[in-house]
Structures are given as C-alpha cells and as structure tokens.
Amino acid sequence: MSTTLIKNGTVVTASDRYDADIYIDKGVITMIGKGMNIPADTVIDASGKLLMPGGIDVHTHLDMPFGGTTSADDFESGTIAAAHGGTTTIIDFAIQSFGEGLYPAYDAWMKKAEGRARIDYAFHMIVRELSEQASHDMDKMTRNDGVTSFKLFMAYPGVFQVDDATIFKALLKTRENGGMVCMHAENGGVIDTLVKEALMKGQTAPKYHALTRPTRAEGEATGRAIALAEMAGVPIYIVHLSCSDALEKVKQARDMGLPAYAETCPQYLFLSYENYEEPGFAGAKYVMSPPLREKWNQAVLWKGLAQNDLQVVSTDHCPFCMNEQSQKLLGKDDFSKIPNGAPGIETRLYMLWEGVQKGFIDQHRFVQLTSTSPAKMFGLFPKKGTIAVGSDGDIIVWDPEKEHTISVKTHHMKVDYNPYEGREMMGAPAYVLSRGDVIVDHGEFKGEKGRGQYVKRQAGHPRL
Ligand code: URP
Ligand code: ZN
Ligand code: ZN
C-alpha cells in the first residue's frame, strides 16, 4: 500500500472550500494541511484544480438481464467508464429470481463484480416477491452483509411489479431493520392498458413508449408509495423521478415533515420528449422508464435539486446497443419490446457541472448531490462522500477549465451511441483517485483489474 500527496488544490466539499494539501496513507486520508512537505510515493500538483470527493452513483445496472437481453456494460467496462467521469463508487441492483430468497441474487451479483470492478461497489436488492425466505433475508442482509436497501416496482406487471400489500409489508420490515425501500413509482396497471391500446391501433414507434406512460401515472404511484411509507412509519426513496407531477408529491410530503426522498437523473434534466421524435428508430435510444418528459419539467427538477426536494442525482445507467439485433432492435416493430434503459455512468458529473456553470446549483450542492447525500442516504458516509481525515482517499482532481466534447467515439461505455452526442462541455477530472490510487490520469485509465472492493453499508434511517 502506497502513499499519495495531493498539493496546492482547492478542497470543495458539501459545506466547505479551502486551499489545502491532502495526504493519503493505505487508502485513507490521514492529513489535510497547508505547505505539507512529506515524502510520498505519488505526488500530484493540483494547482488551479478543485479537490472534490469521488462521485457516488447509487443507481446502476451492470450486466443486467432485462427484456430478453443483457445490459451492454459489465462490471469491468462499466466501472472503467464511471471512473473516467469521476465516479469512484457505485451501488448496483441485484435481482431476486422468482421462487428464491435474496441470497442467490446477492451471490450472483458478487460473482459478476468480483475480479472485474475497478472502483468500489455495493448492492441494492430488487425484491420481486416477498416470500417468507425473502423477508428473512432482508433482515439478515441488512444486519450482516451491508445490503441495506431494497427496490420494489409498481410497474412492469408479470416481471417486477408487486402489489400494495407486498410494498407495505416490505416497508414494515425496514421499520424493524433500519433498511430503506427504493421505489420505481409508475402505475403499471394504467401503463399496461395504454400500451395494449396503442399496439391495437398499430402505434408501434418508439415515441409511443413515452405516450403510454403519462406523468400522472408516475405522480399517482409516487403519492401512493409515500402514503404507504407514511402508514408504515418509515422513510422512502423514489428512484429516477422524472417530472413535476411526481416531484409535487415528494414536496408535499416533505412539507408535512415526512422522510420522503428522491433522486433524479441527468437524462431528465437535459433531454426531453422531443428526442423521441428523432427520425426512424432513433427514438429508441431514449426508451427508458419513466420516459423523457416535456421540456418544461427540466426547470422544475433543477429547482427541486436546488431546494433539496430532490436529494440525489444518479444515472440509472442501463445501456443497450442500437445496432445489435439482440438489443434495442428487439423493438423495431413494437416499442414495448425495446429494452428499457440508456447509458450515463460516465457523463453524470459532466452534465451536472453544466448546472453549476449555468447557476442552477453551486459547487457545494454539486458535491452534495453527486457524492455526500448519496453516501448519507445509503450508509456509506463518512467512509465515502466527503474529504476528511479518516475518509477513503476517493478524490477527483477536477479541472474546471477543461473543454471536451461528449461522443461515442471517445466515451468508455460499451454502447454504440451517446445520448448527449456532440455536446460541448467544460470541466472534467485531471486525475481520479480511488483509495489513494490514481486510477485516471488525464484521460488514461490506470486502475488494476479487479481492484474494486465490495463495500458493506450501514443500516439506519437518514434525515436529509
Ligand atoms: O428504463 C429503465 N429505467 N431501465 C432500468 C430498470 C429500472 O427500472 O431502473
Ligand atoms: Zn426503475
Ligand atoms: Zn434503474
């Protein structure tokens, strides 16, 4: 284990800003000071750069079977791409199989990640049926294995959707064990009916994915999920919130003092329904759930981020290739067969930094949304999510002046398009450090194969 000294940077955390040097020993920050002249194995000059805690992406789907195919990035390519964009920890979703408890999925996802991941990782569990075994496993995982959050779906009937009784029982479990329910909040019954109706009318193009998933279906489910959590007396976390209708429900709950939390994703802040109108089958690039919304929702979401009605920006990275028969093309003649999801694990910080440049959020809020609040929400803080003595040396040396263009030609995700193709950006990492190791050096990846470590998370309900 080596030592690293970062000199002359400006530390930016969720709360502070100061000029400092940082010394990392055996992966952990042991000193923060000024004018430090200590020998170290690696010395980085960070003059003119910002030192921010490594990004934490709490919503990824690597190597995930979905819709008859598998997401295009595995734990190797996905974590390399994440690191290039300044993310040093991910939380991925392991999926329970029908007829099984939760441990077979946990073991399977461990196998997918071990020896491949180049940054640190943790897991949420997707609960598809709350059998006695699954219920027992929720407690055991929370207690012993650092899996403290459980995603349930109110949509995708026959695949993921569970009923209100199941949701309520899962919520009650978290009251006992200190875990957290993460909710995919869309009304699956309404959507399924609208999808069947559209297909009967011959409406098969990608845009009908969006037109059959109205914002009210997300708003209704969000309100219902929060009401169920209120009745159970526990917090709830709404994943990939996309629109004003749903945000209103979160706001109302928070104004009442309820512990309701939500994340949004860059795609909902920068893309819109208009993308589905791109020629031919191109709209399939943006087929995800919830879908992209009318543009005016973006300003509402930015306001939600600035005012802490939304606490986290994650990616919901779930990439499928456009030009492979077995991926997005599965839905060439039927939008309902297009695998849901889009890439974003590499571009999250770039996109959100644009929000800083435009004055929608400040640098501290940027850190809070991309690192500190995700860490606090999901039991990683203060090991991750800040720059402090005792925290892991997960640090982005951020060059706010760096100009670059997002493109499939230069990105590191294993997918054949980028939803932000050609977008000119300012701000990128000069270096990315994971537990003190320089894993990205001016665009070159340096992290060793399989160096990523599983991180056990703490249970306990946040207050954010
Ligand atoms: O379209 C999406 N969001 N795909 C990933 C699965 C999910 O619901 O998060
Ligand atoms: Zn979801
Ligand atoms: Zn997802």
Side-chain angles (χ1 to χ4, degrees), residues 59 61 93 126 151-153 156 183-186 239-240 289-290 316:
H59 192 147
H61 301 281
F93 288 87
I126 289 179
K151 183 177 177 186
L152 281 82
F153 285 74
Y156 299 114
M183 190 61 72
H184 180 124
E186 288 186 293
V239 296
H240 48 45
S289 296
D316 195 8

Side-chain angles (χ1 to χ4, degrees), residues 14 17 69 79-80 93 106 133 137 154 211 235 249 262 274 434:
R17 181 189 180 90
T69 183
T79 55
I80 289 173
F93 288 87
Y106 170 82
Q133 183 66 54
D137 290 352
M154 301 168 99
L211 296 173
K249 304 291 180 186
E274 285 165 30
S434 164

Side-chain angles (χ1 to χ4, degrees), residues 56 112 121 135 154 165 223-224 257 280 289 319 397 453 455:
I56 299 174
K112 288 172 192 268
Y121 56 94
S135 189
M154 301 168 99
R224 182 159 38 103
S289 296
V397 181
Q453 292 179 358
V455 192

Side-chain angles (χ1 to χ4, degrees), residues 229-241:
E230 182 186 5
M231 287 186 275
V234 290
I236 189 157
Y237 180 86
I238 308 296
V239 296
H240 48 45
L241 185 147

Side-chain angles (χ1 to χ4, degrees), residues 179-287:
M180 172 91 95
V181 167
C182 302
M183 190 61 72
H184 180 124
E186 288 186 293
N187 185 315
V190 167
I191 290 165
D192 204 42
T193 306
L194 292 174
V195 167
K196 285 189 178 126
E197 214 176 80
L199 291 173
M200 292 255 286
K201 287 190 217 151
Q203 297 171 331
T204 59
K207 70 176 180 185
Y208 291 104
H209 172 76
L211 296 173
T212 54
R213 300 183 98 91
T215 58
R216 283 283 192 271
E218 188 182 344
E220 183 281 323
T222 302
R224 182 159 38 103
I226 292 170
L228 292 168
E230 182 186 5
M231 287 186 275
V234 290
I236 189 157
Y237 180 86
I238 308 296
V239 296
H240 48 45
L241 185 147
S242 74
C243 61
S244 173
D245 266 350
L247 181 56
E248 249 341 283
K249 304 291 180 186
V250 176
K251 265 177 78 160
Q252 272 170 20
R254 291 179 64 80
D255 288 349
M256 284 164 61
L258 294 172
Y261 306 108
E263 63 179 22
T264 190
C265 312
Q267 53 270 32
Y268 303 120
L269 298 167
F270 289 93
L271 304 172
S272 70
Y273 173 77
E274 285 165 30
N275 291 96
Y276 295 114
E277 302 275 4
E278 290 176 17
F281 190 60
K285 292 176 188 171
Y286 315 98
V287 167

